[in-house]
Amino acid sequence: MRAPARAGSAGLVAAAACLGLITSCGGDGGTARPEPSVPPATGHAYTAAYEAGWREGKRIFEDGGKGAAVREVVWGGCVRRSLTARPGDVVDKDRGAWVLGCMQGAGSGADRHPPTGPVTRRAPDPALLGRFRSWAAAHGERQSARHARRVVLVHLGTRDYDVELACTCTAKSAQADVRGLADAFVTWWDGDDGDGTAWNLIVTDPTGRRLFTRALG
């Protein structure tokens, strides 16, 4: 379930050809420019998140063109950006909707296909946690893995997802414990293949507060 190897030049051509399909799939450092015209939000959390993502995608497309579009759509740029996108209180209510909007805005700069319902889907995976603990016990990582309490797959669309690992650590815990747990999980995950593309590991405290993030694959 790790992210696939990055494509070469031939992959870039194929990826660019696929960008037109994105429109039908379910930090601003430059000179200020007018915001793209978008329909007014309806009040749904997923609608507000989508609109914010679409505006960011449009900005990326205007700044970087097709090269930036490949990076954001095919290589997980929009998924990575969603972890720090603003406004956070809008994005975090449906990060998958934000990613969808970002991909559509960056992918073509034209067509919009807003979601008709929530996009993000969270799925607890206790079996995955058990496999990680077993691996940790056999590879000298039992001490680090002892902090792990729950694994949730955060599906951001049909294929892209993040892995959320809840632990007993808190903001006051030693950062070494959080990093040690993340290091052990990423090392294990690197040899674990499956369907879809996992982009990020998110380590949270028991309340769901984000403590640490790291790229997977």
Side-chain angles (χ1 to χ4, degrees):
M1 284 180 274
R2 58 182 173 180
R6 300 300 184 237
S9 58
L12 276 174
V13 174
C18 292
L19 287 176
L21 299 177
I22 295 298
T23 58
S24 60
C25 299
D28 201 344
T31 304
R33 61 170 63 85
E35 288 288 346
S37 177
V38 298
T42 64
H44 291 300
Y46 59 82
T47 301
Y50 172 87
E51 298 297 347
W54 190 82
R55 288 192 294 270
E56 178 66 6
K58 282 282 289 182
R59 184 192 66 78
I60 293 167
F61 183 81
E62 291 167 1
D63 286 348
K66 290 184 178 179
V70 171
R71 182 182 67 245
E72 300 303 319
V73 176
V74 181
W75 290 351
C78 283
V79 178
R80 307 277 198 214
R81 288 174 186 272
S82 71
L83 292 174
T84 55
R86 295 291 182 266
D89 58 338
V90 171
V91 179
D92 289 344
K93 288 180 179 177
D94 196 332
R95 202 152 54 85
W98 190 95
V99 170
L100 177 64
C102 178
M103 286 183 172
Q104 289 183 0
S108 71
D111 294 338
R112 291 164 37 82
H113 297 276
T116 58
V119 176
T120 304
R121 179 172 58 85
R122 299 170 60 83
D125 197 330
L128 201 62
L129 177 61
R131 286 162 50 199
F132 168 58
R133 285 174 170 168
S134 295
W135 173 89
H139 291 80
E141 295 287 357
R142 186 190 298 272
Q143 188 72 3
S144 294
R146 79 187 191 282
H147 296 291
R149 286 295 176 267
R150 183 177 68 255
V151 171
V152 176
L153 302 185
V154 184
H155 296 277
L156 303 172
T158 56
R159 289 189 58 82
D160 297 320
Y161 66 98
D162 286 341
V163 180
E164 190 175 275
L165 180 61
C167 69
T168 58
C169 309
T170 67
K172 296 181 180 180
S173 298
Q175 284 297 305
D177 290 341
V178 179
R179 289 178 178 272
L181 174 59
D183 287 344
F185 193 91
V186 170
T187 299
W188 168 70
W189 190 270
D190 190 52
D192 190 36
D193 296 317
D195 295 333
T197 301
W199 293 104
N200 304 294
L201 170 67
I202 304 170
V203 181
T204 74
D205 69 9
T207 69
R209 179 183 178 187
R210 192 180 301 165
L211 298 175
F212 192 74
T213 62
R214 177 164 294 176
L216 286 169

mmCIF file of all heavy atoms in Angstrom, residues 20-67:
data_model
loop_
_atom_site.group_PDB
_atom_site.id
_atom_site.type_symbol
_atom_site.label_atom_id
_atom_site.label_comp_id
_atom_site.label_asym_id
_atom_site.label_seq_id
_atom_site.Cartn_x
_atom_site.Cartn_y
_atom_site.Cartn_z
ATOM 1 N N GLY A 20 -6.863 15.232 -18.468
ATOM 2 C CA GLY A 20 -8.196 15.610 -18.901
ATOM 3 C C GLY A 20 -9.273 14.786 -18.264
ATOM 4 O O GLY A 20 -10.428 15.200 -18.165
ATOM 5 N N LEU A 21 -8.911 13.572 -17.782
ATOM 6 C CA LEU A 21 -9.896 12.702 -17.164
ATOM 7 C C LEU A 21 -10.211 13.126 -15.743
ATOM 8 O O LEU A 21 -11.233 12.758 -15.187
ATOM 9 C CB LEU A 21 -9.385 11.246 -17.163
ATOM 10 C CG LEU A 21 -9.120 10.636 -18.543
ATOM 11 C CD1 LEU A 21 -8.563 9.234 -18.366
ATOM 12 C CD2 LEU A 21 -10.391 10.610 -19.379
ATOM 13 N N ILE A 22 -9.295 13.887 -15.125
ATOM 14 C CA ILE A 22 -9.473 14.237 -13.726
ATOM 15 C C ILE A 22 -10.747 15.030 -13.511
ATOM 16 O O ILE A 22 -11.388 14.938 -12.480
ATOM 17 C CB ILE A 22 -8.260 15.047 -13.227
ATOM 18 C CG1 ILE A 22 -7.011 14.151 -13.270
ATOM 19 C CG2 ILE A 22 -8.479 15.581 -11.833
ATOM 20 C CD1 ILE A 22 -7.093 12.952 -12.372
ATOM 21 N N THR A 23 -11.137 15.798 -14.494
ATOM 22 C CA THR A 23 -12.289 16.648 -14.290
ATOM 23 C C THR A 23 -13.570 15.862 -14.136
ATOM 24 O O THR A 23 -14.559 16.370 -13.638
ATOM 25 C CB THR A 23 -12.459 17.622 -15.481
ATOM 26 O OG1 THR A 23 -12.602 16.865 -16.687
ATOM 27 C CG2 THR A 23 -11.249 18.531 -15.578
ATOM 28 N N SER A 24 -13.567 14.596 -14.542
ATOM 29 C CA SER A 24 -14.778 13.794 -14.403
ATOM 30 C C SER A 24 -14.667 12.803 -13.278
ATOM 31 O O SER A 24 -15.555 11.988 -13.074
ATOM 32 C CB SER A 24 -15.090 13.066 -15.727
ATOM 33 O OG SER A 24 -14.019 12.222 -16.078
ATOM 34 N N CYS A 25 -13.544 12.782 -12.541
ATOM 35 C CA CYS A 25 -13.339 11.875 -11.422
ATOM 36 C C CYS A 25 -13.768 12.562 -10.135
ATOM 37 O O CYS A 25 -13.747 13.765 -10.020
ATOM 38 C CB CYS A 25 -11.871 11.448 -11.317
ATOM 39 S SG CYS A 25 -11.269 10.578 -12.781
ATOM 40 N N GLY A 26 -14.387 11.331 -9.468
ATOM 41 C CA GLY A 26 -14.772 11.807 -8.183
ATOM 42 C C GLY A 26 -13.506 11.877 -7.252
ATOM 43 O O GLY A 26 -12.880 10.861 -7.228
ATOM 44 N N GLY A 27 -0.532 29.806 0.462
ATOM 45 C CA GLY A 27 0.806 30.148 0.384
ATOM 46 C C GLY A 27 1.016 31.025 -0.813
ATOM 47 O O GLY A 27 1.681 30.783 -1.765
ATOM 48 N N ASP A 28 0.411 31.633 -0.937
ATOM 49 C CA ASP A 28 0.448 32.465 -2.115
ATOM 50 C C ASP A 28 1.645 33.393 -2.065
ATOM 51 O O ASP A 28 1.708 34.318 -1.297
ATOM 52 C CB ASP A 28 -0.833 33.311 -2.164
ATOM 53 C CG ASP A 28 -1.104 33.810 -3.565
ATOM 54 O OD1 ASP A 28 -0.156 33.753 -4.369
ATOM 55 O OD2 ASP A 28 -2.228 34.262 -3.818
ATOM 56 N N GLY A 29 2.650 33.151 -2.941
ATOM 57 C CA GLY A 29 3.866 33.943 -2.852
ATOM 58 C C GLY A 29 4.019 34.923 -3.986
ATOM 59 O O GLY A 29 5.007 35.640 -4.052
ATOM 60 N N GLY A 30 3.102 35.004 -4.927
ATOM 61 C CA GLY A 30 3.269 35.872 -6.076
ATOM 62 C C GLY A 30 2.431 37.121 -5.955
ATOM 63 O O GLY A 30 1.919 37.481 -4.908
ATOM 64 N N THR A 31 2.314 37.808 -7.100
ATOM 65 C CA THR A 31 1.510 39.017 -7.144
ATOM 66 C C THR A 31 0.049 38.686 -6.974
ATOM 67 O O THR A 31 -0.430 37.696 -7.517
ATOM 68 C CB THR A 31 1.719 39.719 -8.498
ATOM 69 O OG1 THR A 31 3.113 39.962 -8.662
ATOM 70 C CG2 THR A 31 0.951 41.025 -8.547
ATOM 71 N N ALA A 32 -0.663 39.487 -6.233
ATOM 72 C CA ALA A 32 -2.074 39.211 -5.992
ATOM 73 C C ALA A 32 -2.841 39.233 -7.307
ATOM 74 O O ALA A 32 -2.569 40.038 -8.188
ATOM 75 C CB ALA A 32 -2.646 40.261 -5.039
ATOM 76 N N ARG A 33 -3.783 38.312 -7.447
ATOM 77 C CA ARG A 33 -4.623 38.240 -8.639
ATOM 78 C C ARG A 33 -6.056 38.052 -8.210
ATOM 79 O O ARG A 33 -6.309 37.562 -7.105
ATOM 80 C CB ARG A 33 -4.194 37.075 -9.548
ATOM 81 C CG ARG A 33 -4.304 35.733 -8.884
ATOM 82 C CD ARG A 33 -4.107 34.619 -9.903
ATOM 83 N NE ARG A 33 -2.787 34.666 -10.477
ATOM 84 C CZ ARG A 33 -1.717 34.094 -9.921
ATOM 85 N NH1 ARG A 33 -1.845 33.478 -8.756
ATOM 86 N NH2 ARG A 33 -0.551 34.145 -10.495
ATOM 87 N N PRO A 34 -7.018 38.415 -9.046
ATOM 88 C CA PRO A 34 -8.421 38.221 -8.677
ATOM 89 C C PRO A 34 -8.720 36.751 -8.462
ATOM 90 O O PRO A 34 -8.168 35.887 -9.142
ATOM 91 C CB PRO A 34 -9.182 38.775 -9.897
ATOM 92 C CG PRO A 34 -8.201 39.668 -10.585
ATOM 93 C CD PRO A 34 -6.851 39.062 -10.347
ATOM 94 N N GLU A 35 -9.558 36.434 -7.492
ATOM 95 C CA GLU A 35 -9.974 35.061 -7.254
ATOM 96 C C GLU A 35 -10.827 34.572 -8.425
ATOM 97 O O GLU A 35 -11.618 35.329 -8.978
ATOM 98 C CB GLU A 35 -10.806 34.965 -5.971
ATOM 99 C CG GLU A 35 -10.004 35.132 -4.709
ATOM 100 C CD GLU A 35 -9.138 33.939 -4.413
ATOM 101 O OE1 GLU A 35 -9.359 32.881 -5.036
ATOM 102 O OE2 GLU A 35 -8.234 34.052 -3.580
ATOM 103 N N PRO A 36 -10.667 33.283 -8.844
ATOM 104 C CA PRO A 36 -11.512 32.742 -9.894
ATOM 105 C C PRO A 36 -12.979 32.838 -9.489
ATOM 106 O O PRO A 36 -13.328 32.696 -8.316
ATOM 107 C CB PRO A 36 -11.057 31.276 -10.006
ATOM 108 C CG PRO A 36 -9.703 31.257 -9.391
ATOM 109 C CD PRO A 36 -9.707 32.311 -8.336
ATOM 110 N N SER A 37 -13.827 33.076 -10.454
ATOM 111 C CA SER A 37 -15.259 33.168 -10.177
ATOM 112 C C SER A 37 -15.818 31.788 -9.911
ATOM 113 O O SER A 37 -15.625 30.867 -10.687
ATOM 114 C CB SER A 37 -15.974 33.788 -11.383
ATOM 115 O OG SER A 37 -17.360 33.817 -11.175
ATOM 116 N N VAL A 38 -16.479 31.609 -8.772
ATOM 117 C CA VAL A 38 -17.062 30.320 -8.425
ATOM 118 C C VAL A 38 -18.472 30.549 -7.909
ATOM 119 O O VAL A 38 -18.798 31.611 -7.385
ATOM 120 C CB VAL A 38 -16.229 29.596 -7.335
ATOM 121 C CG1 VAL A 38 -14.837 29.303 -7.827
ATOM 122 C CG2 VAL A 38 -16.165 30.420 -6.069
ATOM 123 N N PRO A 39 -19.322 29.526 -8.035
ATOM 124 C CA PRO A 39 -20.673 29.657 -7.506
ATOM 125 C C PRO A 39 -20.634 29.809 -5.991
ATOM 126 O O PRO A 39 -19.695 29.351 -5.341
ATOM 127 C CB PRO A 39 -21.340 28.327 -7.910
ATOM 128 C CG PRO A 39 -20.488 27.787 -9.009
ATOM 129 C CD PRO A 39 -19.108 28.268 -8.724
ATOM 130 N N PRO A 40 -21.603 30.457 -5.385
ATOM 131 C CA PRO A 40 -21.614 30.610 -3.932
ATOM 132 C C PRO A 40 -21.746 29.267 -3.230
ATOM 133 O O PRO A 40 -22.399 28.352 -3.736
ATOM 134 C CB PRO A 40 -22.854 31.484 -3.681
ATOM 135 C CG PRO A 40 -23.715 31.269 -4.881
ATOM 136 C CD PRO A 40 -22.775 31.070 -6.030
ATOM 137 N N ALA A 41 -21.068 29.102 -2.074
ATOM 138 C CA ALA A 41 -21.149 27.861 -1.308
ATOM 139 C C ALA A 41 -22.554 27.676 -0.753
ATOM 140 O O ALA A 41 -23.256 28.640 -0.468
ATOM 141 C CB ALA A 41 -20.131 27.891 -0.169
ATOM 142 N N THR A 42 -22.951 26.421 -0.597
ATOM 143 C CA THR A 42 -24.308 26.145 -0.146
ATOM 144 C C THR A 42 -24.387 25.911 1.356
ATOM 145 O O THR A 42 -25.465 25.748 1.889
ATOM 146 C CB THR A 42 -24.853 24.893 -0.858
ATOM 147 O OG1 THR A 42 -24.049 23.761 -0.461
ATOM 148 C CG2 THR A 42 -24.784 25.053 -2.365
ATOM 149 N N GLY A 43 -23.265 25.866 2.032
ATOM 150 C CA GLY A 43 -23.290 25.619 3.456
ATOM 151 C C GLY A 43 -22.830 24.224 3.819
ATOM 152 O O GLY A 43 -22.510 23.958 4.967
ATOM 153 N N HIS A 44 -22.789 23.290 2.847
ATOM 154 C CA HIS A 44 -22.280 21.958 3.120
ATOM 155 C C HIS A 44 -20.775 22.031 3.344
ATOM 156 O O HIS A 44 -20.062 22.750 2.643
ATOM 157 C CB HIS A 44 -22.566 21.013 1.953
ATOM 158 C CG HIS A 44 -24.021 20.681 1.792
ATOM 159 N ND1 HIS A 44 -24.748 20.069 2.786
ATOM 160 C CD2 HIS A 44 -24.870 20.866 0.752
ATOM 161 C CE1 HIS A 44 -25.993 19.890 2.362
ATOM 162 N NE2 HIS A 44 -26.097 20.377 1.141
ATOM 163 N N ALA A 45 -20.279 21.261 4.302
ATOM 164 C CA ALA A 45 -18.845 21.254 4.584
ATOM 165 C C ALA A 45 -18.061 20.798 3.368
ATOM 166 O O ALA A 45 -17.009 21.354 3.043
ATOM 167 C CB ALA A 45 -18.559 20.343 5.778
ATOM 168 N N TYR A 46 -18.560 19.781 2.655
ATOM 169 C CA TYR A 46 -17.828 19.275 1.502
ATOM 170 C C TYR A 46 -17.814 20.290 0.359
ATOM 171 O O TYR A 46 -16.858 20.351 -0.414
ATOM 172 C CB TYR A 46 -18.389 17.929 1.031
ATOM 173 C CG TYR A 46 -19.847 17.930 0.620
ATOM 174 C CD1 TYR A 46 -20.237 18.343 -0.652
ATOM 175 C CD2 TYR A 46 -20.832 17.490 1.503
ATOM 176 C CE1 TYR A 46 -21.577 18.328 -1.027
ATOM 177 C CE2 TYR A 46 -22.173 17.477 1.136
ATOM 178 C CZ TYR A 46 -22.539 17.890 -0.133
ATOM 179 O OH TYR A 46 -23.852 17.877 -0.506
ATOM 180 N N THR A 47 -18.871 21.110 0.246
ATOM 181 C CA THR A 47 -18.903 22.128 -0.795
ATOM 182 C C THR A 47 -17.875 23.214 -0.516
ATOM 183 O O THR A 47 -17.128 23.639 -1.409
ATOM 184 C CB THR A 47 -20.304 22.756 -0.905
ATOM 185 O OG1 THR A 47 -21.254 21.740 -1.206
ATOM 186 C CG2 THR A 47 -20.340 23.820 -1.985
ATOM 187 N N ALA A 48 -17.824 23.678 0.722
ATOM 188 C CA ALA A 48 -16.859 24.716 1.087
ATOM 189 C C ALA A 48 -15.425 24.217 0.897
ATOM 190 O O ALA A 48 -14.558 24.946 0.405
ATOM 191 C CB ALA A 48 -17.085 25.147 2.532
ATOM 192 N N ALA A 49 -15.162 22.964 1.281
ATOM 193 C CA ALA A 49 -13.822 22.404 1.124
ATOM 194 C C ALA A 49 -13.457 22.274 -0.353
ATOM 195 O O ALA A 49 -12.333 22.579 -0.762
ATOM 196 C CB ALA A 49 -13.740 21.037 1.811
ATOM 197 N N TYR A 50 -14.413 21.821 -1.162
ATOM 198 C CA TYR A 50 -14.164 21.689 -2.604
ATOM 199 C C TYR A 50 -13.831 23.043 -3.221
ATOM 200 O O TYR A 50 -12.880 23.157 -4.002
ATOM 201 C CB TYR A 50 -15.383 21.084 -3.300
ATOM 202 C CG TYR A 50 -15.268 21.099 -4.807
ATOM 203 C CD1 TYR A 50 -14.641 20.054 -5.485
ATOM 204 C CD2 TYR A 50 -15.770 22.167 -5.555
ATOM 205 C CE1 TYR A 50 -14.501 20.084 -6.866
ATOM 206 C CE2 TYR A 50 -15.640 22.197 -6.937
ATOM 207 C CZ TYR A 50 -15.014 21.150 -7.590
ATOM 208 O OH TYR A 50 -14.877 21.184 -8.956
ATOM 209 N N GLU A 51 -14.604 24.072 -2.891
ATOM 210 C CA GLU A 51 -14.378 25.395 -3.472
ATOM 211 C C GLU A 51 -12.990 25.922 -3.092
ATOM 212 O O GLU A 51 -12.286 26.503 -3.929
ATOM 213 C CB GLU A 51 -15.457 26.373 -3.010
ATOM 214 C CG GLU A 51 -16.870 26.011 -3.420
ATOM 215 C CD GLU A 51 -17.074 26.004 -4.930
ATOM 216 O OE1 GLU A 51 -16.192 26.507 -5.666
ATOM 217 O OE2 GLU A 51 -18.111 25.494 -5.379
ATOM 218 N N ALA A 52 -12.593 25.715 -1.848
ATOM 219 C CA ALA A 52 -11.269 26.164 -1.416
ATOM 220 C C ALA A 52 -10.179 25.419 -2.175
ATOM 221 O O ALA A 52 -9.180 26.016 -2.589
ATOM 222 C CB ALA A 52 -11.118 25.946 0.093
ATOM 223 N N GLY A 53 -10.355 24.109 -2.367
ATOM 224 C CA GLY A 53 -9.380 23.323 -3.113
ATOM 225 C C GLY A 53 -9.321 23.718 -4.575
ATOM 226 O O GLY A 53 -8.239 23.778 -5.175
ATOM 227 N N TRP A 54 -10.484 24.005 -5.160
ATOM 228 C CA TRP A 54 -10.528 24.371 -6.572
ATOM 229 C C TRP A 54 -9.816 25.701 -6.816
ATOM 230 O O TRP A 54 -9.078 25.858 -7.791
ATOM 231 C CB TRP A 54 -11.978 24.443 -7.043
ATOM 232 C CG TRP A 54 -12.106 24.587 -8.534
ATOM 233 C CD1 TRP A 54 -12.040 23.606 -9.471
ATOM 234 C CD2 TRP A 54 -12.319 25.812 -9.247
ATOM 235 N NE1 TRP A 54 -12.204 24.135 -10.724
ATOM 236 C CE2 TRP A 54 -12.381 25.484 -10.624
ATOM 237 C CE3 TRP A 54 -12.474 27.142 -8.855
ATOM 238 C CZ2 TRP A 54 -12.578 26.445 -11.601
ATOM 239 C CZ3 TRP A 54 -12.664 28.105 -9.838
ATOM 240 C CH2 TRP A 54 -12.715 27.752 -11.200
ATOM 241 N N ARG A 55 -10.004 26.644 -5.908
ATOM 242 C CA ARG A 55 -9.313 27.921 -6.056
ATOM 243 C C ARG A 55 -7.799 27.748 -5.976
ATOM 244 O O ARG A 55 -7.045 28.364 -6.739
ATOM 245 C CB ARG A 55 -9.797 28.904 -4.982
ATOM 246 C CG ARG A 55 -11.208 29.419 -5.218
ATOM 247 C CD ARG A 55 -11.522 30.601 -4.313
ATOM 248 N NE ARG A 55 -11.551 30.232 -2.918
ATOM 249 C CZ ARG A 55 -12.654 29.817 -2.284
ATOM 250 N NH1 ARG A 55 -13.798 29.690 -2.938
ATOM 251 N NH2 ARG A 55 -12.602 29.521 -1.001
ATOM 252 N N GLU A 56 -7.360 26.884 -5.065
ATOM 253 C CA GLU A 56 -5.922 26.618 -4.958
ATOM 254 C C GLU A 56 -5.413 25.917 -6.211
ATOM 255 O O GLU A 56 -4.326 26.227 -6.719
ATOM 256 C CB GLU A 56 -5.632 25.772 -3.717
ATOM 257 C CG GLU A 56 -4.164 25.400 -3.534
ATOM 258 C CD GLU A 56 -3.271 26.600 -3.247
ATOM 259 O OE1 GLU A 56 -3.780 27.719 -3.072
ATOM 260 O OE2 GLU A 56 -2.034 26.399 -3.190
ATOM 261 N N GLY A 57 -6.175 24.958 -6.721
ATOM 262 C CA GLY A 57 -5.773 24.273 -7.943
ATOM 263 C C GLY A 57 -5.669 25.216 -9.125
ATOM 264 O O GLY A 57 -4.731 25.118 -9.935
ATOM 265 N N LYS A 58 -6.605 26.148 -9.248
ATOM 266 C CA LYS A 58 -6.554 27.141 -10.314
ATOM 267 C C LYS A 58 -5.295 27.994 -10.194
ATOM 268 O O LYS A 58 -4.626 28.288 -11.200
ATOM 269 C CB LYS A 58 -7.792 28.034 -10.246
ATOM 270 C CG LYS A 58 -9.047 27.416 -10.818
ATOM 271 C CD LYS A 58 -9.042 27.477 -12.334
ATOM 272 C CE LYS A 58 -9.240 28.907 -12.817
ATOM 273 N NZ LYS A 58 -9.293 28.967 -14.306
ATOM 274 N N ARG A 59 -4.975 28.388 -8.978
ATOM 275 C CA ARG A 59 -3.768 29.191 -8.773
ATOM 276 C C ARG A 59 -2.529 28.424 -9.203
ATOM 277 O O ARG A 59 -1.634 28.968 -9.864
ATOM 278 C CB ARG A 59 -3.654 29.595 -7.302
ATOM 279 C CG ARG A 59 -2.466 30.520 -7.003
ATOM 280 C CD ARG A 59 -2.220 30.667 -5.525
ATOM 281 N NE ARG A 59 -1.778 29.411 -4.917
ATOM 282 C CZ ARG A 59 -0.539 28.951 -5.023
ATOM 283 N NH1 ARG A 59 0.376 29.609 -5.718
ATOM 284 N NH2 ARG A 59 -0.196 27.828 -4.443
ATOM 285 N N ILE A 60 -2.470 27.147 -8.832
ATOM 286 C CA ILE A 60 -1.321 26.312 -9.198
ATOM 287 C C ILE A 60 -1.220 26.183 -10.715
ATOM 288 O O ILE A 60 -0.131 26.282 -11.296
ATOM 289 C CB ILE A 60 -1.463 24.920 -8.552
ATOM 290 C CG1 ILE A 60 -1.349 25.029 -7.024
ATOM 291 C CG2 ILE A 60 -0.413 23.951 -9.096
ATOM 292 C CD1 ILE A 60 -1.777 23.778 -6.292
ATOM 293 N N PHE A 61 -2.352 25.969 -11.376
ATOM 294 C CA PHE A 61 -2.359 25.819 -12.834
ATOM 295 C C PHE A 61 -1.897 27.105 -13.513
ATOM 296 O O PHE A 61 -1.115 27.081 -14.467
ATOM 297 C CB PHE A 61 -3.762 25.443 -13.311
ATOM 298 C CG PHE A 61 -3.843 25.189 -14.797
ATOM 299 C CD1 PHE A 61 -3.460 23.972 -15.328
ATOM 300 C CD2 PHE A 61 -4.307 26.179 -15.650
ATOM 301 C CE1 PHE A 61 -3.527 23.743 -16.691
ATOM 302 C CE2 PHE A 61 -4.385 25.954 -17.023
ATOM 303 C CZ PHE A 61 -3.996 24.729 -17.543
ATOM 304 N N GLU A 62 -2.368 28.227 -13.015
ATOM 305 C CA GLU A 62 -1.994 29.505 -13.606
ATOM 306 C C GLU A 62 -0.512 29.807 -13.397
ATOM 307 O O GLU A 62 0.145 30.413 -14.247
ATOM 308 C CB GLU A 62 -2.855 30.620 -13.022
ATOM 309 C CG GLU A 62 -4.311 30.536 -13.473
ATOM 310 C CD GLU A 62 -5.227 31.443 -12.665
ATOM 311 O OE1 GLU A 62 -4.710 32.149 -11.767
ATOM 312 O OE2 GLU A 62 -6.436 31.445 -12.926
ATOM 313 N N ASP A 63 0.038 29.377 -12.267
ATOM 314 C CA ASP A 63 1.448 29.630 -11.967
ATOM 315 C C ASP A 63 2.384 28.665 -12.686
ATOM 316 O O ASP A 63 3.467 29.047 -13.111
ATOM 317 C CB ASP A 63 1.701 29.516 -10.459
ATOM 318 C CG ASP A 63 1.147 30.703 -9.692
ATOM 319 O OD1 ASP A 63 0.777 31.700 -10.338
ATOM 320 O OD2 ASP A 63 1.065 30.620 -8.448
ATOM 321 N N GLY A 64 1.969 27.388 -12.807
ATOM 322 C CA GLY A 64 2.901 26.379 -13.315
ATOM 323 C C GLY A 64 2.477 25.620 -14.542
ATOM 324 O O GLY A 64 3.263 24.815 -15.069
ATOM 325 N N GLY A 65 1.262 25.805 -15.016
ATOM 326 C CA GLY A 65 0.823 25.127 -16.233
ATOM 327 C C GLY A 65 0.742 23.620 -16.085
ATOM 328 O O GLY A 65 0.549 23.088 -14.998
ATOM 329 N N LYS A 66 0.916 22.911 -17.202
ATOM 330 C CA LYS A 66 0.724 21.462 -17.217
ATOM 331 C C LYS A 66 1.746 20.715 -16.370
ATOM 332 O O LYS A 66 1.446 19.668 -15.803
ATOM 333 C CB LYS A 66 0.770 20.946 -18.650
ATOM 334 C CG LYS A 66 -0.432 21.367 -19.487
ATOM 335 C CD LYS A 66 -0.389 20.762 -20.875
ATOM 336 C CE LYS A 66 -1.630 21.158 -21.668
ATOM 337 N NZ LYS A 66 -1.605 20.588 -23.045
ATOM 338 N N GLY A 67 2.968 21.260 -16.294
ATOM 339 C CA GLY A 67 3.972 20.595 -15.463
ATOM 340 C C GLY A 67 3.541 20.555 -14.008
ATOM 341 O O GLY A 67 3.663 19.525 -13.336
#
